Amino acid sequence: MTSKPFEESADYVQSLARGLRVLRAFDRELASPSLSEIAERVGLSRAVVRRSLLTLQHLGYVGSRGRSFFLTPRVLELGYSYLSSLDLTELAQQCLEQLSQRVGESCSMAVLDGSDIVYVLRVPVRRVMSVALGVGARLPAFAASMGRVMLADLPDDALDAWLGEQKFRAYTPQTIRTAGALKAELLRVRKQGYALVARELEPGLCSLAVPVRAGDGRVIAGLNIGMPYSEEVLRRAVKQMLPALQESRQAIEQAIQRGGWLPHMAMKHAYE
């Protein structure tokens, strides 16, 4: 017997879900949208969006200027509450800074959130992508090195379910864009313990990532080095940068265990 979707159960709070959809409508491209623009983006009626916006405005998360709406600084409480509950940034900050100084490249940590990775820590030395990356930035997990080391940890049935729900986009001619090819690559990442992605998100970018594990062995984050692409960088990545990345990963994992950080506090994989 097939169980009905959670959205149809008595426990599902539709108004809360709609309010969160409205909050997620705001981004760099739609920083001060009108009610109509938000309704079009989230696929809800103007009346529903209006009630959500007025409620969010009453709670202090949204402001208005004429016919436009904007997020207020109070929304940062939501993200920083998550980060502070992890204590992950404090444990990993020093390790990441030392790694960046050692290799002379930008270093980051991210967690998996559905189809995306979300940056929770970043130490930049230069801008390597056309989009600005910082804490809270999102990238497609399938085409990012940190996404691949986290996806590779999923059980086979969970990985198949994740792959079946994705819509793959070719960001460059090198992007792996089919479920079959990506699964083969993820199995290779699982076996070798790291992911090297070159020119799949942007032509001039490559990155090297390893998984970060909690005390129970489960992958809870990805750690990477982002670099401008060149054949020389690719040659150096595995021979010279991977050992440094692995040492930093080990130090972070030890710090996590000493700090008493619990795996259940991490952002869960979509199909656990």
Side-chain angles (χ1 to χ4, degrees), residues 68-269:
S68 298
F69 294 86
F70 57 89
L71 296 179
T72 70
R74 189 165 191 176
V75 299
L76 294 174
E77 294 177 359
L78 303 175
Y80 283 117
S81 294
Y82 167 67
L83 292 176
S84 63
S85 71
L86 290 178
D87 282 334
L88 182 56
T89 52
E90 294 181 9
L91 295 173
Q93 178 71 37
Q94 185 176 2
C95 294
L96 212 58
E97 290 177 353
Q98 291 174 347
L99 174 62
S100 180
Q101 292 173 2
R102 180 176 176 181
V103 300
E105 302 290 353
S106 300
C107 300
S108 307
M109 179 177 285
V111 295
L112 184 65
D113 181 23
S115 298
D116 299 330
I117 61 169
V118 181
Y119 281 71
V120 296
L121 193 64
R122 179 163 170 77
V123 179
V125 297
R126 63 173 66 88
R127 185 165 175 172
V128 294
M129 290 191 69
S130 60
V131 297
L133 293 177
V135 172
R138 306 175 77 93
L139 290 177
F142 82 92
S145 61
M146 288 188 286
R148 289 184 182 175
V149 295
M150 289 185 279
L151 290 171
D153 185 60
L154 291 175
D156 290 338
D157 57 346
L159 178 58
D160 288 339
W162 189 93
L163 290 168
E165 292 193 356
Q166 305 309 304
K167 293 183 179 179
F168 301 106
R169 169 187 168 188
Y171 290 90
T172 73
Q174 285 74 35
T175 306
I176 295 176
R177 60 181 68 91
T178 66
L182 181 60
K183 183 174 183 179
E185 176 63 17
L186 292 175
L187 293 178
R188 188 166 73 92
V189 169
R190 183 187 294 176
K191 182 178 181 179
Q192 67 189 15
Y194 67 89
L196 179 60
V197 175
R199 300 184 295 172
E200 292 194 44
L201 275 174
E202 290 196 2
L205 173 69
C206 61
S207 63
L208 177 70
V210 295
V212 177
R213 299 180 183 273
D216 63 357
R218 181 164 59 89
V219 172
I220 53 175
L223 181 70
N224 93 332
I225 300 172
M227 307 154 282
Y229 172 80
S230 71
E231 292 296 333
E232 174 60 25
V233 165
L234 287 184
R235 285 192 291 269
R236 291 194 302 115
V238 175
K239 289 185 178 181
Q240 298 179 19
M241 295 189 182
L242 181 59
L245 190 60
Q246 291 170 329
E247 288 179 18
S248 296
R249 183 261 309 278
Q250 183 178 9
I252 290 172
E253 290 176 342
Q254 291 173 350
I256 288 172
Q257 294 180 33
R258 288 196 305 269
W261 186 72
L262 301 177
H264 73 265
M265 297 169 70
M267 188 175 291
K268 298 292 188 179
H269 286 316

